Structure formats: structure tokens, C-alpha cells
Amino acid sequence: MGDVVTVPEAYGLGPIEVTAVNGDSVELVAPLTGSGFGVAGCSGGGGTSSNGDGGVTMKCGVGPAATINDAMSLTVAEIRRTVAVLRIGPAK
């Protein structure tokens, strides 16, 4: 928890911070750098909410890649207690 990943500006997000790792999901927050936000495919009951300050909170479980802003791919590859393996890259 607390790890921060800087992503390319084209993804529409500022630095992504891991705020919680639970037994079946990872919670992330990030400021928005673009005019909108969209996420598709977050498994494990994932979702997003506005932080009220131009940011978002995401909660994703292990599974197929989620697509964020039609530009970024986010996969929660593995969760081990309080540690998670995330894969972030361009959307395919």
C-alpha cells in the first residue's frame, strides 16, 4: 500500500496510488488529467467513484484487464495478503 505509479499523460490520469490491498481486491486513487473518465472490465465487483476533486477511486479484483479511458490497460494479476501485482500498459 502507498505505492505510486506515474503513467503516461495519454492515459488521462495522474499518478496512481494504491490505497488498500484486501484479500480479493485492490483499491487505487488517481487525479484526472483529462476531461472525462471511463472504465470497463474491472472484475471482482470493481467500480469507480469521484473523489470530488477531479480524481477517481477504483477497486478491482484479480482477473482480465480493465480498460481505462480507452487508453490504459490495468490488470490485477495476483493478490497475496497485503501485496498485489498490477500490470499497467497501453490498451489493446
Side-chain angles (χ1 to χ4, degrees), residues 7-13 16 33-34 36-40 65-74 87-92:
V7 296
E9 188 175 320
Y11 292 171
L13 299 174
I16 300 169
T33 60
F37 179 77
V39 62
T67 301
I68 299 169
N69 292 337
D70 293 327
M72 183 179 104
S73 172
L74 168 69
R87 294 190 181 118
I88 297 173
K92 296 178 182 178

